[in-house]
Amino acid sequence: MTQTFIDPAQLSQVSDLELLARTVVEGFMTGIHRSPHTGASIEFAQYRPYTQGDDLRFLDWKLFARTDRLHLKQFQEETNLRCTLLLDCSASMQYGSGAMSKWAYARLLCASLAMILKSQGDSIGFMAYHHELATHIPATTDQRNFRRILVELAGLEPNQKTDTPRVLRFLGDVLRPRGMVILISDLIYPLEEVIDHLKSLRARRHDVLVIQISDPTEQTFTFDGAVTLVDAEEGEERFVVPDAVREAYLENRRNHFDTIRRECLTAEIDLAEFTADQPLDFALRHFINHRNRALKTSGLRQSGRA
Amino acid sequence: MLSFLAPFFLAGAALIGLPWLIHHIRKPEREPIIFSSLMFLPNVKKEVIERRKLQHILLMLLRMLLLVLMALAFSRPYFKERRSYVQESAAPGRHLILLDLSYSMGMSNRFEQAGRTVRDILGEIPADIPVGLVGFSDSPVLLAPMEGVPSQTRARVKSELEKAVPGQGGTRYQAALQYAENLLLEGRDAEETTPAVLHLISDFSRGGMPEGNPDWRLSGRILFRGYRIDGRPIRNLSLMEIGRKDREDRLEIAGKVKNWSETEESAVVRLLLGEELLEEKEVTVAPGGASQVRFDIPRPAGNAREGRLMLVGDDFELDNLRYFVWRAPRKKTILLLTDKDKRRWPADWFVERVLTAGNQVPWRVIRVDRNNLAASLARRPDVVAAVGLKTLEATHAAALSRYVEGGGRVLMSLGDGPSPNVLSRDLLAGLGLNDLGPAFPETNPANNQLLGWIDFDHPTFLVFRGARFNDFSGLRFYNYHRIQATAETDEDISFLARFDGREDPAMVEVRRGEGRWLIWAFNPVLDWTNLPKHPKFVPLLHETVKYLGRFRQEEREYLVGGRYDAREAEGSQRLRLPDGRVHEVAADASIPLERAGIVLAGAQDRADEWQALDAVNIPGGESDPETIQIDEFALRLTANGGVAQGAAHGEVERYSGDVEKRNEMGFIFVILLALFVATEIFYAARLSIRKPADAPNTPQPADRRSNDS
């Protein structure tokens, strides 16, 4: 079976963000993910031995009567997923050498993810940031939240410098624990602090998915002849001969992202990398796979503790 | 003090903005690209970038300087240097007035102005100083010498001035100045500091200046003063050239009419043959332009006629006449001397057919038996073609030698006779050539020699120059005679072509005064060579005959101011020149020409019979109104240079070169220009090949850390 993907170049010609998101999300909508957390609900999940301090409301008294052992009943939590979409709208996201800039790609991806989550009835939160928080919509199950997110997305323009650690610190303060955080960014900023704060987010038992967006030219550094490049965020100008600096540039870039990849792996943070010329389906599929994998590992972990 | 001979070139310095403009125009092409981040780029030190910016600015400044230098070099700068030994107050020893008598001084009222100027000069010179007068055009003529009592010299000058009229000659300033210098410095002590003064009164026609920068300069001991005579502007057209072309029974005559005026002018051009007006045409010429007027008339009867083209309707008549002499074209004679040859197609068969091919050939071919050779040579044929000869009898060889010694021309090809024989021993040896006999014992196609070298500068091969015609590789020679020059160097022998391999000569030319031997070392028959059936055979033979028969000799053209070569009066004893002088040919071979007209030739015993021989015309360039600045004139022809002294004096510009010396220094700027160009090329190349990033390839992420993180 051949699968057809929607070309970002074609998508870039459509201005209606909701229409775009609906087009992209179609086919990913229903019954493909579940909440990874167990809690009070009607759907039984498993038993686990009672330990001191457990809520006595969940003790299975009938089982105690039959076996003289204390066990707790665990149920699959049916409350909606609490997911916060975190979008980098710093000036570096504006760059694009092809039909779609990184910003256009990220914005559309964000809208598509929001639509998927909305269709599941999950709580959707949204935050956009550059050097400070640009927009914050707390996660609720209110269906109008999706519309608010789209309105915010449509009004945002990438500018200013990035300060991801600062935003992540803020996020750690305001987010309720054990939710899902999806960070969409080009991850072009110094390593150490970002990784530290991603780790701290993870430590608060959030499931963190980082989607890194690149432009094809950033990956190859191909320019026609000598050019003067201006740093989108710093404003620094530099005259470069691409052939002369390409090797060093690519090596520095590779080192940077290798480090991020390694640290994310260590911290059990899922990192996915996409370029702005790839179909959005890839990113959505990765999101779905990530969720399925998280459900399984989460279930095993729960049962392991049981 | 720095001055300029051509200051208008300084306007070129305005191009100084060009490099800046180019940098500016090119800027949009290098519009900065806003890139997501430069944090992965290798760190380039700030000073490196600034240095590169500075280098580019330096390069732009260098290019600006180049343009300024170019403008300076073209504007011909010079330094004026004050000379201390020449004192304004010094009483000059003697004065000589050099008066331009070329025909351009006859335009408008120039000569009246010149006369007034001479009288003004006489009035300014102290009464106790002698004055002389020299007139000049092509050559100088002393009209009033400086020797004698000063008052008498003045009287002589005034008297000669009354008689002087502009002639028909052109202008030659250098000859006149040299003559004047000799007169002024004659008998003077080299230590004498009192300068002699030379007053030059002229229209300063540029055509009178020598070509390039002459080595000769007027002595620094002579004070030079120039007076430019401009005169009123006039409408002037002139007949510059005349050309004739014979076409069977028609004669075409064309004249070039040049308009020297600043407005479009019309005039009538008349063609006269003798005194008979044949035709007239009106011509309109744009300002500064030229037009050709053609007349097509029936060929005149008789052997020679003189005629002239005459232009009517402008303000200056002297340059409106052009004389010509038409002579009936004579068919030249080629004597074809053959040897007995039993071949079906012997050499003379080919040669005769090639030479007689077509009706338009300007010669006639006469076959002659060698028994009648002496009698035929006595009639002075233009060319003798002796082809395919095996040998010659001694008497015939001697007759041919005498014919060539007397200016005759012989084309000889060597046949398959035994060697040595009379031909090789007596004739060729006498020409400085050694015939070693045939190169191969048998003549057969297997030998197959090519031409390895051809002298394409020789008139015979001139038409074959160029890639389209110079391919002789298709020519094959199955045998030939090996010829050597007996002397290693003989200026009278030249080789036109050589065979490949041993480089034996294929064609040799031997000069004997005006006479020529042109020897082909092969027999033009099919068993010796494929030349007779090769496409180049016809043009080669025709060109050879044209060269030997002097068909290309240029028509003689004589100008006033030149000299007439009396040897051209073939068989005549007397010449009558355009100015009416009758000249005995035997008396002098070279006669100066002073007036335009017709040179007539006559026999000694028939005093009243004259035949038109040659035309003498005035030099056409003298009508050119372009003049030279006196500054430049003084710089090029005087050692002291000079400086203009004040404003115009009536219509006469006065000029004196007595106090300052000029050192032209344009060459310094040219040298500087060359140096700067070399520097620019080197510098620009160095900048273009240099990598912009030469710092370590380590990223500097810490530099980008947020301050408030």
Side-chain angles (χ1 to χ4, degrees), chain B residues 21-36:
Chain B
L21 197 64
I22 291 171
H23 282 239
H24 186 70
I25 288 171
R26 287 175 59 84
K27 203 175 176 184
E29 295 175 13
R30 297 176 176 271
E31 192 69 30
I33 296 172
I34 297 175
F35 194 58
S36 47

Side-chain angles (χ1 to χ4, degrees), chain A residues 92 95 102 163 166 188 190 192-193 218 221 228-232 234 236 238-239 241 245 248-249 252-253 256, chain B residues 30 32-44 49 691-693 697 699 701 704-706 708-709:
Chain A
S92 65
Y95 181 69
K102 289 191 290 186
D163 191 1
R166 184 178 178 186
I188 301 180
E192 293 84 350
E193 293 186 19
E218 289 175 342
F221 205 68
T228 300
L229 297 179
V230 181
D231 191 309
E234 302 288 337
E236 177 192 354
R238 204 178 296 179
F239 178 80
V241 178
V245 299
Y249 169 89
N252 292 339
R253 181 182 163 83
H256 177 81
Chain B
R30 297 176 176 271
I33 296 172
I34 297 175
F35 194 58
S36 47
S37 175
L38 305 185
M39 65 181 281
F40 301 127
L41 282 176
N43 196 25
V44 181
I49 296 168
K691 289 184 179 180
N697 291 339
R704 286 177 48 93
R705 285 181 185 172
S706 175
D708 52 356
S709 59

Side-chain angles (χ1 to χ4, degrees), chain B residues 448-510:
Chain B
N448 201 15
Q449 281 290 317
L450 305 174
L451 287 182
W453 174 84
I454 293 171
D455 179 9
F456 285 105
D457 291 330
H458 192 273
T460 305
F461 287 102
L462 267 181
V463 296
F464 299 107
R465 286 179 94 158
R468 283 183 66 190
F469 305 110
N470 65 0
D471 183 12
F472 280 76
S473 60
L475 277 184
R476 296 286 186 274
F477 295 88
Y478 315 128
N479 207 347
Y480 62 87
H481 279 257
R482 294 189 61 205
I483 297 175
Q484 287 180 337
T486 48
E488 281 193 11
T489 55
D490 188 339
E491 291 183 354
D492 288 334
I493 296 177
S494 56
F495 299 100
L496 277 57
R498 289 179 184 277
F499 291 108
D500 205 6
R502 286 181 295 193
E503 298 194 343
D504 293 324
M507 297 179 192
V508 186
E509 181 184 13
V510 182

